[in-house]
Amino acid sequence: MRQRTVIWTIVIGFFVAAALGLALTRPRAPETISDTRVMMDTSIEIRIFGSKRTLEAAFKRIQEIDELMSRTRKGSDIYKVNQQAGGEWVKVSADTFHVIETALRFAETTGGLFDPTITPLVELWGIGTGNPQIPDQEAIEQAKGLVDYRRVDLAPSSRRVRLTQPGMGLDLGAIGKGYAADSVAQLLRERGVESALLNLGGNVYVIGGKPDGTPWRIGIQDPFSDRGTHVTILEVRDTSIVTSGPYERFFIRNGKRYHHILNPETGYPADTGLASVSIISPSSITADALSTSVFLLGLEKGLALLEEMEDVEAMLITNDRKVYLTSGLKQQVKSLAKGFEFHD
Ligand code: ADP
Ligand code: MG
């Protein structure tokens, strides 16, 4: 008995030592690493098939963008522009200038429903802060009067920006995470990463397929159920999927739900009969701006805008659980969760 125990100990010991030796001497192949951090006012997950250093560089890039474009962070480009509203021109970084220009393009496209000067209304409602409120009508009228994308002056040659009236303010909340996703994806590709998944608070970007070569599987959130419950799952490579919906941030008062996508015409949360809009596009800044824009435009005008766009697919879900797909998605989405039905 005793002798057998000794032999077994030697045999097992040999294998453990061999395995350890192998692990120590083998060159380190890239592996899947990931981390989740709270940044840009949301939870951000980065999963890459690559090195720890590259992962850190990716988070650092997000930090930089937040430091430039946050509305509330003292010293950011946007903070400075808002401080100077009605006063001086402010020079901003190339990143910020590009995002402001893009946001203004979407403002024009949507006739001002998407409007990056939404700040006075955002601050008045305080949705997503610890202290949201239903403002009185007078305050809404006053804030509405300060929301107007046509009163943003741009000087491209010197990258300067000016808001023409005191009290105005830029808010890039509907587009910034899309830009951050594009920017991190570019950084990762430059470093040779061929497989990655970025999730910036529901704003998803995938590089390549999964490390095993199969496509990434991205669930589209069921807008009526708990987080993580899906209407359908898309199989994708090298693209971005961004969803906007009233379920993202809201508060409930007297049994009514007030959410964070505001209609600059009414001064109230947009009520267009849509429960969510998902956009699939290789450009995440486009997907982000467009998901908010289509949500604000509503079903008919939203679908019309999507028709005009290139390299964009979309899935719209109405409050009565009808699902609308652009033609490129129809081949892919064959089934939906219980209770949802296709509209053709
Ligand atoms: P999320 O940030 O939850 O992904 P969106 O991309 O749809 O959602 O952006 C919503 C954010 O955009 C709001 O929190 C606010 O900062 C800003 N916003 C609200 N209403 C508008 C609007 N009409 N036009 C542009 N931005 C808006
Ligand atoms: Mg958006």
Side-chain angles (χ1 to χ4, degrees), residues 40 64-72 76-78 93 95-97 99 172 176 179:
M40 293 187 94
E64 282 166 10
I65 292 171
D66 193 28
E67 280 168 10
L68 293 172
M69 299 184 204
S70 159
R71 176 171 56 80
T72 49
S76 78
D77 281 348
I78 297 302
S93 66
D95 291 300
T96 308
F97 198 86
V99 177
L172 301 179
Y179 180 71

Side-chain angles (χ1 to χ4, degrees), residues 113-115 118 171 173-174 177 244 260-262 288 292 296:
L113 277 177
F114 181 98
D115 192 325
I118 197 80
D171 176 325
K177 280 178 284 181
S244 281
H260 72 317
I261 304 175
L262 303 171
D288 196 2
T292 313
L296 284 155

Side-chain angles (χ1 to χ4, degrees), residues 39-155:
M39 296 167 101
M40 293 187 94
D41 219 7
T42 189
S43 163
I44 296 187
E45 182 195 0
I46 303 181
R47 197 187 314 172
I48 63 169
F49 192 63
S51 72
K52 178 100 179 88
R53 249 170 82 184
T54 303
L55 186 72
E56 285 307 321
F59 277 113
K60 185 158 166 268
R61 182 75 188 114
I62 291 179
Q63 181 75 18
E64 282 166 10
I65 292 171
D66 193 28
E67 280 168 10
L68 293 172
M69 299 184 204
S70 159
R71 176 171 56 80
T72 49
R73 207 185 256 271
K74 278 204 177 66
S76 78
D77 281 348
I78 297 302
Y79 188 90
K80 286 189 238 167
V81 170
N82 293 355
Q83 284 271 301
Q84 284 297 333
E88 297 298 312
W89 288 87
V90 175
K91 184 169 174 91
V92 300
S93 66
D95 291 300
T96 308
F97 198 86
H98 170 69
V99 177
I100 295 173
E101 268 186 323
T102 309
L104 292 174
R105 253 201 342 265
F106 277 91
E108 252 159 45
T109 306
T110 59
L113 277 177
F114 181 98
D115 192 325
T117 67
I118 197 80
T119 295
L121 281 168
V122 168
E123 287 182 345
L124 190 60
W125 282 87
I127 296 165
T129 70
N131 192 20
Q133 56 152 348
I134 304 172
D136 60 52
Q137 200 52 38
E138 203 184 313
I140 288 202
E141 292 306 323
Q142 201 194 350
K144 262 168 56 179
L146 291 166
V147 176
D148 185 351
Y149 69 95
R150 289 163 301 190
R151 286 188 260 153
V152 182
D153 287 344
L154 297 184

Side-chain angles (χ1 to χ4, degrees), residues 184-185 188-189 193-197 205-209 216 238-239:
V184 170
L188 293 175
R189 287 200 173 97
V193 172
E194 289 172 356
S195 169
L197 174 97
Y205 192 112
V206 297
I207 295 181
W216 290 101
D238 292 304
T239 198

